[in-house]
Amino acid sequence: MPSHIFADRPAAQPPERGTVDALIQQTRRLRGEVDAVRRDTLTDDDDPQGRWQRALCELAVHQLDDLDEHLAQLRDGAPLDTDEQELLEGLEAELAPGPSRGSLLSRVGSAEWNLLTDDVVWSGELYQIFGRSPDRPPLTLDELPTFVFAEDRDLLTQMVTDCLIDGRPIDGEFRIVREDDSVRTLHMMGEPVLDADGSTASMWAVVRDVSELRRSQSALRETRDSLQRQRHIAQTEHRLAVELQEAVLPPWRGPLRFPQGSPDALDLAAHFLPSSRSALIGGDWYDAMHLPDGDILLSVGDLTGHGVAVTSGMAMLLGAVRGMAVAGAEPGRLMGWLNQLLDASVQPALGSAVCCRYNPHTRVLTWSQAGHPAPLLFRNGTGRALDAPDGVLLGATTGAVYEQAGEQLEPGDLLVLHTDGLAPHRDGEASRDRLLSLAPRFATARTAQDCVRTVMEEFGERGAREDDACVLAAMVPTT
């Protein structure tokens, strides 16, 4: 093949995603130039030099089309990982100029088997492809299958038989096992050469080592299949987590009043805010419940992590909170038991929580916390965080003791409980400060639902949060 075809190609650049389009353009340009050379070499089959040149051009066109398709798959697929970057380097080598070891020309060899004289002629490149010393004789057609992968021998035999008996051209791939036990994938193209009476006198072929390209294509397919499986697993896990979360969190989404029908009823509203960065559901929860003794249970919490296992752990904790509160456990005692439950869990995890009991008749709030942001109290247009009693993260220390505190609420007070994912980077102080800045707007709100809407306007449904978040608002009636 004329060397000018490769002469003007720029030097290969580092294999970044942006270079794939450039490689595709170079491949297609080279393909056009090779095709032009092929048309110029259409000559009589009796001219061996012209026949070999034409065969080499046809093989080059075939392989450039193959390479173009593979590059397009790389361009349209997922971002390149380290392995695919290395594979792309190999593809760049396919287009490298000159007869270097990795270039297009260096992996192409030729052969002719004369059926009348039993002479066999191999090019030096074919000896390199087969890993065979040039001092040894080339392989005859009878010897060739002994180097071929057992599963591919029938294919090679059929191609050769069709060529010699039916005069069909050869175009196929097979694998060989070289004497050093390395496996190579070869693409062979060839034709029969007929004598004067029309019978086959010899068979010629050009053979190309396509091992690296096929390895690259196989790795790409495996990567795509793996990504598809991972996406399917992630989608299934997300769906299960969402279903579990929806089944566990309180069914009410609008305003709620406890005790219902009472003039002392606490006005409640809550909202769950999903993460803007992760498709996985976390372990955040909120809850409100009217207890048998007339008190109202308020709680929010967050179990670290994401996914079905974490959502399942959150469901376990929330169920335990409800059960122990119904049994009459005070918030401090309840937190201690939750810590024991999480500490003894098969899958240890850390969690934070706030648990409150509110007496609607005395308006006394009793609460405890485990490494969680304190409730925020808004009164007369100002806000503050309640002084937090001692309490470490759930699951952090065996036998931890949790203190509890009391707060006397007044008519018109607003209590806001939240998890720390409201602000970016899980910044609890930033979430608290931004919530406290809403005090003037809360002062004009008529219902707890209005206050939750104000929080949504400030933080947005998704915003820039890296984690899920919950907010629970409770407004004490004015009369």
Side-chain angles (χ1 to χ4, degrees):
M1 184 182 298
S3 60
H4 77 273
I5 291 176
F6 296 99
D8 296 328
R9 183 183 181 273
Q13 300 297 318
E16 300 175 355
R17 171 67 71 181
T19 66
V20 178
D21 282 333
L23 284 174
I24 290 175
Q25 292 176 358
Q26 292 165 357
T27 302
R28 292 175 180 175
R29 184 187 67 186
L30 183 57
R31 198 263 192 211
E33 293 175 349
V34 173
D35 197 35
V37 174
R38 179 180 62 172
R39 289 194 300 270
D40 292 342
T41 58
L42 292 177
T43 184
D44 194 318
D45 284 345
D46 291 336
D47 177 9
Q49 182 64 32
R51 187 175 70 223
W52 292 120
Q53 189 173 26
R54 186 192 66 193
L56 188 58
C57 287
E58 289 177 348
L59 185 63
V61 167
H62 186 284
Q63 297 305 326
L64 286 168
D65 286 341
D66 202 358
L67 185 58
D68 179 39
E69 179 182 356
H70 187 48
L71 284 168
Q73 291 175 344
L74 280 174
R75 178 194 60 193
D76 299 335
L80 297 178
D81 57 21
T82 301
D83 291 338
E84 286 185 327
Q85 291 279 13
E86 294 177 357
L87 296 177
L88 189 52
E89 289 179 355
L91 294 179
E92 285 198 304
E94 296 287 345
L95 298 176
S100 63
R101 185 176 182 275
S103 70
L104 185 68
L105 295 177
S106 67
R107 299 177 185 175
V108 178
S110 60
E112 183 169 7
W113 291 271
N114 191 309
L115 305 182
L116 303 179
T117 65
D118 291 331
D119 289 336
V120 182
V121 177
W122 274 19
S123 68
E125 290 82 5
L126 194 57
Y127 277 98
Q128 294 178 13
I129 290 172
F130 273 80
R132 189 173 179 85
S133 171
D135 297 334
R136 302 175 65 184
L139 299 176
T140 67
L141 288 177
D142 291 333
E143 294 172 328
L144 188 60
T146 62
F147 281 75
V148 176
F149 231 69
E151 292 88 342
D152 297 346
R153 287 174 188 165
D154 289 344
L155 172 63
L156 177 63
T157 300
Q158 188 64 49
M159 287 194 301
V160 172
T161 301
D162 289 345
C163 181
L164 297 181
I165 297 179
D166 299 328
R168 297 179 184 176
I170 290 175
D171 188 350
E173 289 187 10
F174 54 91
R175 293 164 295 173
I176 64 169
V177 182
R178 304 199 302 191
E179 292 179 349
D180 61 1
D181 292 330
S182 62
V183 177
R184 310 300 294 176
T185 301
L186 309 183
H187 180 215
M188 175 187 285
M189 296 180 67
E191 293 180 0
V193 177
L194 306 181
D195 60 13
D197 63 3
S199 60
T200 302
S202 64
M203 187 187 85
W204 61 265
V206 287
V207 180
R208 183 171 184 234
D209 186 346
V210 294
S211 304
E212 278 67 33
L213 183 59
R214 295 297 175 254
R215 180 182 65 84
S216 174
Q217 292 172 326
S218 176
L220 183 60
R221 284 193 299 270
E222 291 176 1
T223 299
R224 298 292 180 266
D225 292 344
S226 176
L227 287 174
Q228 269 194 325
R229 289 193 297 270
Q230 292 173 16
R231 290 192 190 103
H232 178 71
I233 292 171
Q235 290 169 355
T236 301
E237 182 174 346
H238 177 72
R239 177 177 55 81
L240 292 175
V242 169
E243 291 176 355
L244 180 57
Q245 183 189 58
E246 291 179 346
V248 172
L249 290 180
W252 49 275
R253 294 294 182 267
L256 186 69
R257 297 180 69 87
F258 283 151
Q260 295 180 2
S262 169
D264 299 323
L266 200 61
D267 182 18
L268 301 167
H271 196 80
F272 174 83
L273 296 92
S275 166
S276 62
R277 302 291 179 86
S278 174
L280 296 177
I281 298 296
D284 293 66
W285 87 79
Y286 64 88
D287 195 23
M289 185 178 183
H290 188 200
L291 300 174
D293 61 3
D295 284 356
I296 298 170
L297 171 70
L298 304 175
S299 69
V300 296
D302 180 13
L303 192 63
T304 56
H306 296 84
V308 173
V310 172
T311 309
S312 177
M314 176 269 287
M316 175 190 69
L317 286 182
L318 184 52
V321 169
R322 291 170 175 170
M324 289 185 284
V326 167
E330 290 294 314
R333 186 88 176 270
L334 188 151
M335 285 293 184
W337 286 341
L338 283 183
N339 182 65
Q340 292 181 27
L341 179 64
L342 202 57
D343 186 49
S345 169
V346 176
Q347 294 182 327
L350 294 176
S352 68
V354 164
C355 183
C356 309
R357 287 182 75 107
Y358 174 72
N359 186 317
H361 302 298
T362 64
R363 293 194 295 272
V364 172
L365 181 79
T366 305
W367 69 287
S368 184
Q369 65 84 28
H372 198 88
L376 304 181
L377 177 60
F378 295 87
R379 178 180 295 165
N380 299 326
T382 62
R384 65 180 176 87
L386 299 184
D387 294 331
D390 291 337
V392 298
L393 285 170
L394 299 174
T397 304
T398 301
V401 175
Y402 295 84
E403 302 294 334
Q404 63 185 38
E407 189 74 27
Q408 179 66 56
L409 302 187
E410 298 179 3
D413 281 353
L414 173 68
L415 194 70
V416 175
L417 283 65
H418 68 95
T419 57
D420 62 3
L422 282 174
H425 310 297
R426 295 180 58 88
D427 190 337
E429 291 188 5
S431 298
R432 180 199 62 197
D433 293 343
R434 287 176 66 181
L435 284 169
L436 289 175
S437 71
L438 300 177
R441 297 171 63 183
F442 287 156
T444 61
R446 299 179 57 187
T447 66
Q449 185 66 37
D450 290 339
C451 295
V452 169
R453 290 194 188 101
T454 298
V455 174
M456 296 305 102
E457 292 171 2
E458 173 67 18
F459 290 93
E461 186 65 21
R462 287 195 176 272
R465 283 181 307 281
E466 297 178 354
D467 201 1
D468 300 332
C470 291
V471 60
L472 172 62
M475 184 174 287
V476 179
T478 56
T479 58

